[in-house]
Amino acid sequence: FWIAGYIPFFYFLVGILKTFSGLPKSTIVPAFLASSVGIVLVANLLLVTYMEADFTSSEGTIAFLVSGAYPVADIFLIVPAVAAFIQLRRGKLTFTPWAIIVMATICFIIADTGFGYFVMGGMDDIVWMWNPLYHIGDFAIASALFWHRKFFTVDEKKLLKQWQENNR
């Protein structure tokens, strides 16, 4: 079920790119660099996962497939996330909550990839160091929701009272 959650994240990031005026030429180089770095990291992680896998049993094969699905899903998320962040960094008020949410997604992807590297590298005792990055992502989403509530939610009672006072 956790891996299936990558589908809505991917749809969200691609939807942001489509909604907010597509990809300008200035995003091609950073998106290419992010995808290149991501492919190298994923290939390395998949190689380590393959070396550690036990293909003699069905449980080992399933464990390899599940462990390999996470970095592959992360690479499919990092490219549109970086492109969306570059697209949304223009600083307009309406783009701010979306940019914060995309930044949270990038934090989740980095933390997930780092967590995978540490688990595959046998560093289970210091895996906790990726937890703050997950928490930063959670905090960023909460900040985006607060921003949206503060600046884009209309209080109809307050507007009605203000209109009544102005039109006496």
Side-chain angles (χ1 to χ4, degrees):
F1 292 116
W2 194 263
I3 294 172
Y6 279 83
I7 296 168
F9 275 116
F10 182 77
Y11 181 73
F12 163 74
L13 292 170
V14 170
I16 281 183
L17 285 174
K18 286 182 180 179
T19 302
F20 295 117
S21 72
L23 289 171
K25 290 183 179 183
S26 64
T27 62
I28 293 173
V29 172
F32 177 74
L33 290 174
S35 62
S36 300
V37 169
I39 288 171
V40 169
L41 290 173
V42 167
N44 188 15
L45 189 57
L46 287 176
L47 181 65
V48 171
T49 307
Y50 177 76
M51 299 298 251
E52 298 286 327
D54 177 27
F55 293 112
T56 59
S57 67
S58 63
E59 292 175 358
T61 305
I62 291 172
F64 169 73
L65 292 175
V66 170
S67 297
Y70 283 109
V72 171
D74 285 335
I75 191 65
F76 279 110
L77 287 180
I78 195 69
V79 175
V82 169
F85 186 72
I86 291 169
Q87 178 68 21
L88 295 174
R89 68 184 164 95
R90 294 187 179 143
K92 295 180 184 175
L93 184 67
T94 56
F95 290 120
T96 302
W98 297 110
I100 294 172
I101 291 174
V102 169
M103 190 173 60
T105 306
I106 291 171
C107 286
F108 292 144
I109 293 167
I110 292 169
D112 197 33
T113 304
F115 183 82
Y117 267 107
F118 276 52
V119 168
M120 287 296 133
M123 296 180 273
D124 293 337
D125 53 339
I126 57 172
V127 166
W128 60 267
M129 70 180 276
W130 294 103
N131 288 343
L133 203 52
Y134 286 114
H135 297 310
I136 289 170
D138 292 337
F139 182 72
I141 289 175
S143 299
L145 291 173
F146 176 75
W147 182 281
H148 180 75
R149 171 79 171 110
K150 182 74 174 166
F151 295 110
F152 298 114
T153 304
V154 177
D155 187 2
E156 293 178 15
K157 290 180 183 178
K158 182 179 177 182
L159 289 176
L160 179 63
K161 185 178 177 182
Q162 195 174 38
W163 181 83
Q164 288 173 342
E165 287 177 3
N166 291 338
N167 293 308
R168 284 189 181 180

